[in-house]
């Protein structure tokens, strides 16, 4: 469908950028912080660094926020490390950790940058993990208490909250992310119980937010990927539908409608993986209402039907690379997509599909909280980083928001990953996403100096003009 005149971005569109605590802060054991499951990891993929220093934002708050202000950010999405607030997850509060986020939030508000706070981004307190983690219902109560502390402390300064980052990726690819040691089909019964408990925890946090704060808005933040059938075969189409329901809708249906969709429930039941649901759980989830939907988008998935007895390498892959699952689907390479250096497809049109699908299913305003290009950036002799590939990637995705706006979708913000370089979930610091380069490698901490990339100056213009530069004709895939 050709659209000759794309609508402009709404006047108050929230241009932002995202990070998470453990991938940026460092200072992993400073000022009373307790260890998280990420800190407790015993090994890292070969050649990648750990998270002890990351990009040291803990010690660069004023400098980094000043750079975000220069970039022109309207909002900054970051997460709060549960283990800074309550080092063991359910015990005593840590005043120094609480003070750190006051400092960060005050600094953002000083420049008029709206804080967008993720309450939990992969870093469960290790002490809770030792007591059974999300498989233990006590973790639900611990999360509710943690949420209430956040609302009490920061509620007067933070308007928008995100509950749990990518719960679906923790369930489907937690071993790659380092959030769980459970692997393979045998672990799925436990994982889907954890999943259910997280939904209950999320519902409790949403209810507490609305009870404690008058004007606050809160929403979930899953990773959503459109699922394409590999061919026009009706079986492939049904298979794609199944994977939409299990990978994507399961997570938003519980958050928004408080119900398990029929496809996902049939899948769980057939395998004996349905969770134990305690009295009151479903009522609670129905009562909890998000105000908006945040979602992360990187890539689409293409799938084909799988024969009943066909074996498949169902190793977990990662957030955007899934091989398939016995009895459910087979992943197929999409020959229409270019790939990043890390094997993730590049699919801006898939972003439009996702925006439409979420909007038409739930009719809630939406904000994109992650999208970006992980690449090997080079600091050149002129002291710059010429990341034109990132500019092209982001342009193509931003343009799709305008197409979605033309489709009638309500998008109120875009927060690419990432505001500043950080340590990727399992591919080290060499895989960079930021608008700001941080001078370190996986093996050498170097100066940790901050250097504005070319994409920084480009995004600064996008935000200032509330529009893409006219010279970039991204739909055609070319720069004029
Ligand atoms: C998302 C996570 C982020 C982030 C991003 C990029 O799934 O929410 O934490 O890291 O993916 O992934 P990676 O770091 O693996 O390149």
């Amino acid at each position: 469908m050709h659209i000759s005149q794309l609508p402009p971005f709404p006047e108050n569109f929230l241009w932002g950028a995202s990070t998470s605590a453990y991938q940026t802060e460092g200072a992993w054991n400073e000022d009373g912080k307790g260890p998280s499951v990420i800190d407790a990891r015993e090994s890292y993929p070969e050649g990648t660094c750990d998270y002890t220093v990351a990009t040291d934002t803990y010690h660069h708050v004023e400098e980094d926020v000043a750079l975000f202000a220069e970039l022109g950010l309207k909002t900054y999405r970051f997460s709060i490390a549960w283990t800074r607030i309550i080092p063991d997850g359910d015990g005593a509060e840590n005043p120094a950790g609480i003070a750190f986020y006051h400092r960060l939030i005050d600094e953002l508000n000083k420049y008029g940058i709206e804080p967008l706070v993720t309450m939990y981004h992969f870093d469960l307190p290790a002490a809770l993990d030792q007591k059974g983690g999300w498989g233990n219902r006590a973790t639900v109560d611990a999360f509710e208490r943690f949420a209430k502390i956040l609302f009490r402390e920061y509620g007067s300064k933070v308007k928008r909250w995100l509950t749990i980052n990518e719960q679906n990726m923790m369930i489907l690819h937690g071993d790659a992310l380092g959030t769980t040691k459970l692997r393979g089909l045998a672990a799925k019964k436990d994982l889907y119980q954890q999943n259910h408990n997280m939904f209950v925890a999320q519902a409790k946090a949403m209810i507490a937010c609305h009870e404690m704060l008058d004007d606050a808005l809160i929403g979930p933040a899953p990773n959503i990927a459109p699922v394409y059938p590999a061919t026009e075969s009706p079986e492939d189409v049904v298979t794609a539908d199944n994977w939409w329901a299990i990978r994507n809708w399961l997570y938003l249906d519980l958050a928004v409608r408080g119900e398990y969709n029929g496809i996902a429930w049939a899948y769980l039941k057939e395998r004996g993986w349905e969770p134990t649901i305690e009295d009151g759980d479903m009522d609670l989830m129905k009562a909890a209402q998000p105000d908006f939907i945040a979602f992360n988008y990187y890539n689409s998935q293409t799938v084909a039907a799988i024969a009943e007895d066909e074996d498949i390498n169902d190793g977990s892959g990662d957030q955007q690379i899934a091989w398939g699952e016995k009895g459910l689907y087979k992943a197929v390479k999409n020959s229409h997509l270019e790939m990043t250096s890390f094997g993730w497809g590049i699919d801006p049109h898939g972003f439009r599909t996702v925006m439409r699908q979420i909007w038409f299913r739930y009719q809630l305003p939406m904000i994109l909280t992650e999208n970006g290009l992980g690449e090997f950036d080079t600091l050149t002799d002129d002291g710059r980083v010429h990341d034109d590939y990132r500019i092209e990637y982001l342009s193509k995705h931003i343009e799709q928001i305008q197409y979605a706006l033309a489709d009638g979708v309500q998008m109120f913000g875009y927060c690419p990953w990432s505001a500043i370089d950080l340590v990727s979930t399992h591919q080290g610091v060499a895989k960079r996403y930021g608008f700001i380069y941080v001078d370190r490698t996986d093996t050498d901490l170097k100066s940790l100096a901050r250097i504005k990339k070319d994409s920084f100056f480009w995004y600064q213009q996008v935000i200032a003009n509330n529009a893409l530069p006219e010279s970039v004709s991204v739909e055609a895939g070319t720069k004029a």
Side-chain angles (χ1 to χ4, degrees):
M1 183 167 72
H2 181 69
I3 293 176
S4 50
Q5 187 70 48
L6 288 179
F9 286 94
E11 216 175 291
N12 52 359
F13 192 75
L14 280 182
W15 295 104
S18 297
T19 61
S20 80
Y22 82 92
Q23 293 174 278
T24 52
E25 286 177 2
W28 73 284
N29 60 356
E30 282 182 43
D31 297 334
K33 181 181 174 298
S36 72
V37 289
I38 304 288
D39 301 316
R41 266 168 82 157
E42 282 149 16
S43 63
Y44 297 86
E46 207 187 327
T48 67
C49 61
D50 62 21
Y51 299 88
T52 51
V53 177
T55 45
D56 202 33
T57 57
Y58 192 80
H59 297 115
H60 290 75
V61 171
E62 286 75 16
E63 181 185 354
D64 290 346
V65 175
L67 282 165
F68 300 158
E70 187 184 336
L71 180 56
L73 294 188
K74 308 279 183 210
T75 188
Y76 172 56
R77 177 205 176 206
F78 61 96
S79 76
I80 290 184
W82 188 340
T83 50
R84 283 198 198 284
I85 307 296
I86 311 166
D88 64 0
D90 60 359
E93 295 179 26
N94 175 33
I98 291 174
F100 169 72
Y101 293 107
H102 274 298
R103 211 173 110 221
L104 171 61
I105 291 167
D106 288 347
E107 199 64 15
L108 291 166
N109 284 333
K110 181 173 107 186
Y111 289 103
I113 303 172
E114 185 184 317
L116 176 59
V117 176
T118 314
M119 297 163 61
Y120 164 45
H121 192 127
F122 299 164
D123 50 357
L124 184 73
L128 293 184
D129 190 49
Q130 280 153 19
K131 291 191 255 180
W134 285 109
N136 181 350
R137 283 287 291 214
T139 300
V140 174
D141 300 329
F143 185 75
E144 185 185 17
R145 172 169 171 253
F146 166 57
K148 286 181 172 171
I149 293 170
L150 299 187
F151 300 145
R152 180 197 77 203
E153 284 296 325
Y154 311 118
S156 62
K157 305 174 178 181
V158 172
K159 185 174 174 203
R160 287 186 176 86
W161 299 85
L162 308 172
T163 52
I164 300 177
N165 179 71
E166 295 193 353
Q167 182 176 322
N168 51 344
M169 296 301 100
M170 284 193 274
I171 297 305
L172 297 167
H173 302 292
D175 55 341
L177 298 172
T179 56
T180 184
K181 292 197 180 82
L182 299 178
R183 281 191 78 86
L185 293 183
K188 297 254 181 188
K189 170 112 187 128
D190 287 343
L191 284 167
Y192 280 105
Q193 185 64 55
Q194 294 186 16
N195 195 39
H196 179 78
N197 295 347
M198 264 192 257
F199 286 133
V200 177
Q202 169 172 265
K204 289 190 170 199
M206 292 198 287
I207 289 170
C209 179
H210 291 137
E211 276 175 6
M212 289 174 66
L213 306 172
D214 284 342
D215 303 322
L217 303 169
I218 190 162
N223 174 312
I224 303 295
V227 186
Y228 306 145
T231 71
E232 71 278 29
S233 133
E235 281 192 304
D236 285 352
V237 174
V238 172
T239 302
D241 232 34
N242 290 342
W243 190 229
W244 265 105
I246 294 163
R247 184 201 191 277
N248 298 315
W249 301 143
L250 169 61
Y251 297 85
L252 285 174
D253 285 347
L254 265 301
V256 181
R257 300 173 170 170
E259 61 192 29
Y260 281 90
N261 70 64
I263 300 171
W265 191 256
Y267 159 81
L268 294 173
K269 210 159 163 249
E270 170 69 23
R271 288 155 178 76
W273 299 339
E274 69 272 40
T276 302
I277 298 177
E278 293 195 0
D279 282 354
D281 282 359
M282 299 315 292
D283 290 341
L284 192 91
M285 287 193 270
K286 276 235 177 285
Q289 292 291 317
D291 302 288
F292 62 90
I293 292 173
F295 67 98
N296 302 343
Y297 172 76
Y298 288 92
N299 187 17
S300 50
Q301 309 220 313
T302 304
V303 304
I306 186 167
E308 211 183 307
D309 53 356
E310 191 174 337
D311 270 326
I312 193 158
N313 165 11
D314 61 358
S316 142
D318 69 17
Q319 305 97 299
Q320 305 309 138
I321 300 177
W323 312 118
E325 186 178 312
K326 193 173 167 143
L328 183 62
Y329 77 98
K330 266 192 301 210
V332 174
K333 186 172 165 17
N334 187 328
S335 59
H336 298 274
L337 304 182
E338 283 178 31
M339 305 297 249
T340 72
S341 305
F342 292 86
W344 291 11
I346 300 177
D347 185 2
H349 290 93
F351 182 29
R352 181 185 185 184
T353 301
V354 155
M355 288 184 275
R356 289 174 170 200
Q357 295 290 330
I358 300 176
W359 169 252
F360 292 118
R361 192 171 174 102
Y362 303 104
Q363 303 271 300
L364 279 174
M366 299 181 297
I367 181 167
L368 182 287
T369 39
E370 282 184 38
N371 166 238
L373 181 63
E375 267 303 333
F376 297 102
D377 292 341
T378 311
L379 187 57
T380 45
D381 291 342
D382 55 358
R384 302 279 298 271
V385 178
H386 301 298
D387 55 344
D388 48 319
Y389 38 87
R390 182 165 294 111
I391 293 172
E392 189 182 335
Y393 178 101
L394 295 172
S395 297
K396 287 180 174 176
H397 286 81
I398 290 172
E399 190 184 41
Q400 291 301 320
I401 301 175
Q402 286 181 277
Y403 277 93
L405 292 171
D407 297 331
V409 170
Q410 269 192 41
M411 280 288 287
F412 68 88
Y414 177 73
C415 299
W417 189 261
S418 53
I420 186 166
D421 279 349
L422 40 73
V423 184
S424 101
T425 59
H426 60 296
Q427 285 159 318
V429 80
K431 186 184 192 184
R432 294 175 186 269
Y433 285 90
F435 292 111
I436 300 164
Y437 184 91
V438 177
D439 184 32
R440 69 157 290 182
T441 67
D442 280 296
T443 50
D444 185 352
L445 285 177
K446 298 175 96 174
S447 69
L448 292 165
R450 276 59 177 144
I451 295 150
K452 295 168 229 169
K453 301 182 191 177
D454 287 0
S455 58
F456 179 101
F457 299 104
W458 167 84
Y459 196 45
Q460 189 181 48
Q461 285 308 305
V462 172
I463 299 174
N465 299 329
N466 200 27
L468 283 170
E470 282 190 6
S471 59
V472 183
S473 170
V474 284
E475 182 63 4
T478 54
K479 283 185 202 163

